[in-house]
Amino acid sequence: MRATTINNESASMNPRAVGRWQHRLSDGRTQCDLCPRACRLKPGQRGFCFVRSSHDGVIVCDTYGRSSGFAIDPVEKKPLNHFHPGSSVLSFGTAGCNSGCRFCQNWDISKARDWDRLGAEASPERIADVACQYGAESVAFTYNDPIIFAEYAIDTAAACRERGIHPIAVTAGYMSAQARPEFYDAMDAANIDLKGFAEEFYRKVTGTHLRDVLDTIEFAVNEARTPDGGRVWVELTTLLIPGYNDDDAQLHAECAWIREHCGRDVPLHFSAFHPAYRMADVPCTPLETLVRARSIAMGEGLRYVYTGNVHYPEGDATYCPNPECGAVLIRRDWYRIGTNRITGDGRCPDCGVSVAGRWG
């Protein structure tokens, strides 16, 4: 980990921004315990993510209350196809990231080194108020990974829940075991990237490790709970990169793992890669690759498999999971819903079988 010096003029000393996961070391440094990198910082140094730094031995989230941008999106864009489909979401992020993906699609934000230039002041309460004003049913922490601004995301999630707004995390899942419970219990839904299914791919292309992400996914799916005791709704996304993570062996292994560790009802999105950042020389993902991946996933027993970043209505639609029915329940054209036939209690109107998701 390369340490860099903080700019004390821009560093936030908001008490709410003090890192919740850290401890002092005997050599005078402070260890950040938020993610598996466990950055050990001297006073005045920043971690890998760039936005968490040591202020006189106390690690602070410097982007607390600073957003890199806002937008109103359909929830399907997160992507979440089984979480209040057709509803609107207020999306925002900050700067920095704790992954090092060579293919980053939002590299201008995640690799930003000047959040005062990029950022707009936005307290958790203000974000919740704005979501109410615009009629958004949810607020999504996205664009960069909310793990690195976990304190800000958790406080914003609490403010949103007080106003009846759903907090959503869009994340790569590279988080420490001790930070997972507080973070995921603050969310009503999450889309977690499963970027591939080989440790070598994770290490060389993302700068992270597969095992940590798998542990996060298992926790979020099987253990995280909302205040009413219900499960946090989780969907997964894999960006398929030609020649890197799109071979049949990885796809079969990934889908079998999801089936065995998360169940057949966790929706999986296969998304098309577009050249970006340090992989601008890699071609776009062909539609045929996404169709093949979807077929493999369904063959492995996953019930809800989607394609993204391409125009393929068959891969956008939600089908009844009953093999004797298979009726089209939701028709989509990109992110626009044409038809939604799922009943208010989440069932197929033709056969009565329950469809996994949050529909009410």
Side-chain angles (χ1 to χ4, degrees), residues 2 13 22 29 113-114 129 138 151 178 200 203 229 235 237 245 271 280 288-289 307 313 318 339 351:
R2 182 184 299 174
M13 292 306 294
Q22 60 180 286
R29 294 180 296 172
R113 295 297 182 260
D114 185 359
D129 288 342
S138 303
E151 296 83 2
Q178 69 185 88
E200 183 178 15
R203 179 172 52 82
E235 302 189 21
T237 296
N245 63 349
S271 188
E288 294 75 13
T289 297
T307 56
T318 298
T339 304
C351 70

Side-chain angles (χ1 to χ4, degrees), residues 186-201:
M187 304 300 155
D188 287 347
N191 185 289
I192 304 175
D193 286 340
L194 181 50
K195 298 177 185 290
F197 210 74
E199 168 60 21
E200 183 178 15
F201 170 84

Side-chain angles (χ1 to χ4, degrees), residues 56-74:
D56 296 324
V58 177
I59 294 176
V60 173
C61 173
D62 291 319
T63 50
Y64 190 106
R66 305 286 297 181
S67 170
S68 59
F70 294 88
I72 298 292
D73 296 314

Side-chain angles (χ1 to χ4, degrees), residues 284-298:
C284 295
T285 310
L287 174 60
E288 294 75 13
T289 297
L290 299 173
V291 173
R292 173 174 54 85
R294 181 170 178 266
S295 178
I296 288 173
M298 292 187 297

